[in-house]
Amino acid sequence: MKVLIIWRLLTVGGVNAGWRNRAIYFKQHGIETEFLYTTDHGGLHIMQDVAPVYLTKDEKSIINLIKKNGYDAIIVVDTGAAFKWIKKAKFKGPVIVEARTPELIKLQPHLKNFRGIQLVSIIVPSHYQKRLVSILTEDIPIQVIYNGVDTSFFRPLAIEEIDYSTPPLPTTNKKIIGWIGRVDKRKNWPMLLEVAKTIKSERDDVEIWLIGGAHSVQREEFAAAWQEEQLTDIIKWFPVIPYQQMPHVYSKIRQSGGCTLATTKTESFGNTFIESMICGVPVVASHFMPISEIVVHEKTGLLFQGHNVQEAVEQLYQILDNRNLYQQMSEAAIQHVQQKFAIHVVADQYVDFLKKLIDNDNETDREVNSP
């Protein structure tokens, strides 16, 4: 079986991290995955070692690709223009939509113009996203399949396994708070600066690692504020860290007794939460869905209300300063992800779904073509 994933953005982020994990697992089950992107935002290093990647905006090239490569199914991720390409290529196989954008106004254009294609289902990564999508669609089955994490790759590394030859490198006797993702409005970097200012005014044994943001639209705006607020000493910014190094980053945070912080305003899932927890690193984040579907408050991390800076800081201190609580949360986080978000748990649902889909499609073809 061969499937094509179409997404307009080749980014460093949760969608591609999730699909990287799926592609590796799919291959073990006889499913070949290929990826088509129209715009590169620095994410090629995530995908290129696991599956073929096509990067083009040229409509003729895309149509020819769909015609020639013999795909059994096509999965479209938040790319409304893909339906036009699929129609022009006269692709008659099943089409699945993955709805990942967590904002209604931005999601709406990607859930239109289905007429003329065999749209069989919409896949979403959380129950929160299912409710969002149901507002915009009718009569199309919506299925929740969580993102998964490769627990053989992301895991708590022993100190002798951690790569200390590459950045980021810890500062002696400082606990690390990791903030991982794009520097944009949705990820809410202004709140991160407010948290950093509060911590800097109260203690000197903490540093914050900002991982990512090299290709973010607001990177220059962030950099200006970061410098103007004189936070370059407490926030260490690493715009590009290879995905393959991330288990080492999380393990450095864990070895310091630190945690991860998310100030995001909205998510459809949040891969960094499960990556952090499977590496034994507790999470501090805002209490809203789908984060509350992933992080168990007071068990695998702590959830603050709204975007309350003071409450977030208090929860960070609670984790950083209570070694017994930290150890309990670390162990509980690992177990929670192993049971609910390990790739073999969630990707099995996708594999079963695809195999039944293709079997049904083949059976339909046989019935249509029989004399």
Side-chain angles (χ1 to χ4, degrees):
M1 183 193 308
K2 184 192 287 188
V3 298
L4 175 67
I5 315 303
I6 300 177
W7 192 33
R8 66 193 191 283
L9 302 175
L10 181 48
T11 64
V12 179
V15 175
N16 282 325
W19 265 112
R20 173 191 169 87
N21 294 332
R22 284 178 186 162
I24 293 171
Y25 192 77
F26 281 8
K27 192 172 184 178
Q28 299 170 12
H29 292 264
I31 301 174
E32 183 181 349
T33 311
E34 297 187 352
F35 294 88
L36 168 63
Y37 301 95
T38 60
T39 308
D40 183 14
H41 289 276
L44 186 59
H45 66 93
I46 292 182
M47 309 304 296
Q48 64 183 358
D49 63 334
V50 300
V53 174
Y54 304 98
L55 180 61
T56 180
K57 291 181 177 179
D58 182 71
E59 185 174 276
K60 289 184 179 178
S61 298
I62 293 170
I63 292 169
N64 187 59
L65 178 77
I66 295 171
K67 283 182 175 180
K68 299 294 185 181
N69 282 14
Y71 299 111
D72 296 289
I74 295 178
I75 300 171
V76 178
V77 185
D78 290 348
T79 306
F83 305 126
K84 176 180 64 175
W85 306 330
I86 292 168
K87 291 174 193 175
K88 288 187 176 182
K90 298 180 180 179
F91 180 76
K92 299 302 181 184
V95 176
I96 303 160
V97 166
E98 273 206 13
R100 307 298 297 257
T101 301
E103 299 159 89
L104 274 175
I105 194 168
K106 292 182 179 180
L107 180 62
Q108 192 169 9
H110 305 308
L111 294 174
K112 291 183 175 181
N113 303 317
F114 297 147
R115 187 173 297 175
I117 64 173
Q118 188 191 159
L119 180 61
V120 294
S121 183
I122 298 175
I123 303 292
V124 292
S126 63
H127 291 280
Y128 164 80
Q129 190 72 359
K130 181 176 181 178
R131 290 206 289 269
L132 198 68
V133 171
S134 67
I135 297 171
L136 301 175
T137 60
E138 294 181 5
D139 304 324
I140 302 171
I142 304 172
Q143 184 171 347
V144 176
I145 301 179
Y146 286 133
N147 281 3
V149 62
D150 182 351
T151 56
S152 65
F153 178 65
F154 281 98
R155 59 186 177 84
L157 301 177
I159 193 166
E160 61 271 14
E161 296 179 280
I162 301 173
D163 181 4
Y164 284 104
S165 66
T166 58
L169 299 177
T171 302
T172 304
N173 297 326
K174 287 204 174 184
K175 296 177 179 180
I176 302 161
I177 297 170
W179 193 95
I180 299 148
R182 301 184 308 277
V183 283
D184 62 19
K185 289 182 179 179
R186 184 158 61 84
K187 298 295 184 181
N188 195 10
W189 59 263
M191 182 178 175
L192 170 66
L193 298 188
E194 292 301 315
V195 168
K197 283 196 289 187
T198 301
I199 294 175
K200 182 177 178 178
S201 71
E202 295 177 345
R203 54 198 294 173
D204 61 3
D205 64 336
V206 174
E207 66 182 20
I208 298 170
W209 287 358
L210 194 166
I211 308 294
H215 295 270
S216 298
V217 173
Q218 292 191 316
R219 61 188 180 277
E220 293 181 5
E221 185 179 346
F222 164 78
W226 172 54
Q227 293 167 7
E228 184 179 342
E229 297 285 357
Q230 299 183 344
L231 295 172
T232 57
D233 54 343
I234 185 170
I235 299 179
K236 307 294 178 64
W237 187 18
F238 304 93
V240 179
I241 295 293
Y243 184 77
Q244 291 77 4
Q245 280 291 317
M246 286 307 296
H248 297 271
V249 172
Y250 288 117
S251 292
K252 290 171 187 176
I253 294 171
R254 182 171 178 258
Q255 286 294 332
S256 78
C259 61
T260 52
L261 168 68
T263 55
T264 184
K265 293 179 179 179
T266 182
E267 292 280 358
S268 62
F269 182 76
N271 257 58
T272 58
F273 303 133
I274 58 175
E275 291 174 359
S276 179
M277 290 190 295
I278 194 59
C279 291
V281 179
V283 176
V284 174
S286 185
H287 196 298
F288 64 80
M289 289 185 70
I291 295 178
S292 56
E293 292 182 51
I294 303 168
V295 180
V296 183
H297 181 55
E298 296 183 335
K299 183 177 179 182
T300 69
L302 295 173
L303 302 177
F304 53 85
Q305 296 300 317
H307 300 97
N308 188 316
V309 171
Q310 190 56 46
E311 186 180 355
V313 170
E314 289 171 0
Q315 291 185 345
L316 289 167
Y317 291 171
Q318 189 176 344
I319 291 177
L320 298 179
D321 296 336
N322 187 330
R323 190 60 195 172
N324 289 335
L325 175 65
Y326 189 97
Q327 191 61 37
Q328 291 171 14
M329 283 190 172
S330 178
E331 293 173 1
I334 295 168
Q335 184 178 29
H336 177 60
V337 175
Q338 286 174 337
Q339 292 175 348
K340 195 165 184 178
F341 302 109
I343 190 64
H344 67 272
V345 174
V346 295
D348 270 349
Q349 299 172 44
Y350 222 126
V351 169
D352 290 345
F353 174 77
L354 286 173
K355 288 184 174 179
K356 289 176 183 175
L357 182 66
I358 300 305
D359 287 345
N360 290 341
D361 192 59
N362 290 339
E363 181 64 30
T364 300
D365 286 345
R366 284 193 291 269
E367 290 175 0
V368 169
N369 295 323
S370 62

